[in-house]
Amino acid sequence: MVDDKKVRLILTGNGNGDAPEPGVAAIAPGGSHALAAARALANYEHNAGMLCRKAMEIAAAAGVYATDRVTIEMLRSTM
């Protein structure tokens, strides 16, 4: 997944041509739980890194296929 203020790209191997929805996105097993958590937090948490971390913590606590061991990498845009 690659995301910036203008474009969100998700590369999937399922061949379904999934299009990302506006606002938030999630991938991988447990992604639907993380996506639900991110949707709930999006209006309250405006720091993308913190929103991601909190959403993953919620998904992991739900006991699904998400883990609480998370590495978040944020890259600076050169554009």
Side-chain angles (χ1 to χ4, degrees):
M1 179 182 337
V2 178
D3 192 25
D4 70 11
K5 292 180 181 180
K6 296 179 183 176
V7 177
R8 174 172 296 124
L9 304 173
I10 300 176
L11 179 65
T12 64
N14 64 12
N16 292 335
D18 296 339
E21 65 181 69
V24 295
I27 58 173
S32 59
H33 291 78
L35 180 60
R39 285 178 182 155
L41 294 167
N43 290 328
Y44 306 102
E45 181 59 68
H46 300 289
N47 176 289
M50 286 303 296
L51 185 136
C52 178
R53 184 170 303 283
K54 288 179 180 180
M56 289 303 297
E57 287 172 358
I58 291 168
V64 296
Y65 299 106
T67 181
D68 61 354
R69 296 180 182 222
V70 177
T71 300
I72 298 171
E73 294 187 32
M74 296 179 68
L75 307 175
R76 293 183 188 197
S77 174
T78 58
M79 300 179 95

